[in-house]
Amino acid sequence: MFKQFKKEYKQVLKNIKKYQKIIVFRHQRPDYDALGTQLGLVTWIKDNFPSKEVHYVGKNHSTFMPYLYPYMEELQDDVFEGEFLAIVVDTGNSSRIDDERYKKGSTIIKFDHHPNIEPYGSINIVYNELSSCAELVSDFLFSCGNKYPLSRLAAKYLYSGIVGDTGRFLFSSVNATTMRNAARLMDVGIVPARDVFDAMYEKDLASIELQKFVLNQFKVTEKGVAYYVLEDKDLKSLGIDSERGKEYLSIMSGIRGVPIWFSVTEEVERGTYRVSIRSKILDISSVASKWRGGGHINASGATLNTLEELPLLIKDLEELIK
Ligand code: AMP
């Protein structure tokens, strides 16, 4: 157990017991970690406290559902009336929480692994060196002991979160504790190949077309920044939506002499361009913050208002390489 959170874990369990209504939130544009953590926690609460009213909210992901995760609930405003416990997972700052109605929570708990720039919870459990939020929440659930067991379904969701945010245990954030926590989830009885990986990594044909596009289009600057740009017209011709723009970022991850790589995806509905930046070692989070975003040392997100800003972003990233 992460001993530094012993006191907070007790408070969280006390609050889960106290409230009759519990609603679990996560960040906008969800990834495997956000969804896996949210649904893993919801499943565990429902399994162990069957008389409680438990909900989960946020927009659906365009491809993960219903293969790996169930569709989200669509909750009317009246559900958020009266007392309830709001638990927000995997979200560093309040503006990224998918569903503003978290604010109505009588008590708000934050579980996260991003830098704690905004401790918006009444209880904040933040471990920003951890590979995934799913690992943190798994640690909390295991700390509750055998009296509150974890089902195979809950373990499957949490495992998907760890796999997603570690790039299948590839990233530098993976350590022995990550593996031990993943093993504890496997001990519950899940078979990752069958229960998780098949659904996570099965591809549709559009995905292969996107892969072709990325391989044909990506560029590498003289100083070693690799990137690709997907404009709305490209998304339309590939038949995918903007959420999938970063799907093949990892193609650029192992190129010798390329310490930083990113994708740019037009989001016409917002009138902006979504940037996903990754690095081997260099800390890209400050550049991401400068460009209307944020995130982790080696994985961050940013926003461009126009493509004219692209050379400036490249320049900032090249400065890091210097
Ligand atoms: P992405 O490129 O969308 O996969 O995001 C990489 C990491 O950066 C994730 O952990 C996100 O939660 C975080 N992130 C992305 N966009 C933002 C943002 N606008 N503000 C803060 N963190 C972000």
Side-chain angles (χ1 to χ4, degrees):
M1 187 181 88
F2 300 129
K3 294 218 168 60
Q4 65 271 39
F5 300 126
K6 200 172 166 193
K7 197 177 88 211
E8 285 86 356
Y9 283 179
K10 275 202 181 127
Q11 289 173 339
V12 174
L13 185 58
K14 211 165 125 193
N15 276 287
I16 290 174
K17 286 180 187 167
K18 176 179 154 188
Y19 284 94
Q20 176 52 27
K21 197 192 305 181
I22 301 169
I23 307 178
V24 183
F25 301 76
R26 41 74 184 166
H27 64 75
Q28 300 162 351
R29 292 188 279 236
D31 51 14
Y32 293 117
D33 193 26
L35 289 164
T37 309
Q38 179 186 34
L39 290 161
L41 180 58
V42 164
T43 307
W44 178 87
I45 300 172
K46 282 186 176 178
D47 289 343
N48 288 288
F49 303 92
S51 64
K52 290 191 190 287
E53 184 184 340
V54 189
H55 297 288
Y56 48 98
V57 275
K59 289 206 175 67
N60 287 311
H61 187 276
S62 61
T63 56
F64 296 173
M65 286 131 184
Y67 308 103
L68 188 59
Y69 308 114
Y71 289 111
M72 289 286 122
E73 290 185 285
E74 280 178 32
L75 301 179
Q76 302 304 313
D77 283 346
D78 59 334
V79 179
F80 298 83
E81 296 306 330
E83 285 219 314
F84 73 91
L85 172 64
I87 307 182
V88 186
V89 300
D90 197 32
T91 314
N93 43 322
S94 59
S95 60
R96 291 193 78 223
I97 301 173
D98 195 344
D99 206 313
E100 285 206 328
R101 293 173 292 183
Y102 83 92
K103 287 181 191 152
K104 294 192 152 197
S106 320
T107 299
I108 299 171
I109 294 172
K110 174 184 185 184
F111 270 110
D112 191 33
H113 73 131
H114 297 91
N116 197 11
I117 39 172
E118 192 188 344
Y120 52 76
S122 342
I123 302 171
N124 297 284
I125 303 178
V126 179
Y127 190 174
N128 74 350
E129 282 148 39
L130 211 61
S131 67
S132 64
C133 192
E135 189 182 341
L136 180 61
V137 169
S138 301
D139 186 67
F140 158 66
L141 299 180
F142 285 127
S143 80
C144 296
N146 295 338
K147 198 173 159 204
Y148 303 101
L150 198 67
S151 64
R152 278 189 50 208
L153 185 62
K156 170 188 132 158
Y157 289 144
L158 291 162
Y159 194 91
S160 74
I162 297 181
V163 170
D165 256 27
T166 60
R168 295 186 235 182
F169 304 102
L170 266 182
F171 300 159
S172 57
S173 52
V174 174
N175 56 28
T177 312
T178 316
M179 301 311 263
R180 272 191 285 271
N181 279 318
R184 288 186 84 178
L185 294 172
M186 287 174 72
D187 282 341
V188 172
I190 57 164
V191 180
R194 185 193 64 208
D195 297 331
V196 182
F197 289 114
D198 281 356
M200 273 179 96
Y201 296 115
E202 189 181 60
K203 290 182 174 67
D204 55 12
L205 277 177
S207 182
I208 306 297
E209 290 301 326
L210 174 60
Q211 193 172 8
K212 269 204 277 189
F213 178 94
V214 172
L215 282 168
N216 281 320
Q217 304 288 328
F218 85 90
K219 296 185 173 55
V220 184
T221 71
E222 226 173 85
K223 298 208 172 76
V225 174
Y227 66 97
Y228 65 82
V229 179
L230 276 161
E231 292 185 69
D232 190 56
K233 61 178 167 47
D234 305 317
L235 297 171
K236 290 211 168 79
S237 76
L238 289 163
I240 59 169
D241 64 33
S242 59
E243 213 170 18
R244 298 182 63 179
K246 64 176 180 182
E247 206 168 292
Y248 281 102
L249 250 182
S250 62
I251 281 179
M252 302 178 287
S253 70
I255 307 172
R256 192 169 296 139
V258 175
I260 299 176
W261 57 100
F262 68 91
S263 64
V264 180
T265 310
E266 186 170 5
E267 292 187 315
V268 269
E269 61 286 2
R270 289 171 195 251
T272 53
Y273 293 80
R274 168 89 192 142
V275 183
S276 281
I277 316 170
R278 304 291 185 264
S279 74
K280 274 193 190 130
I281 300 161
L282 297 169
D283 183 355
I284 50 174
S285 60
S286 54
V287 172
S289 303
K290 178 179 166 190
W291 289 97
R292 311 169 192 101
H296 308 278
I297 293 175
N298 306 121
S300 287
T303 308
L304 297 180
N305 286 336
T306 66
L307 277 187
E308 275 152 34
E309 292 179 335
L310 181 59
L312 301 173
L313 170 68
I314 293 173
K315 197 160 162 266
D316 283 346
L317 294 172
E318 287 184 333
E319 282 292 315
L320 294 178
I321 298 174
K322 258 211 278 188

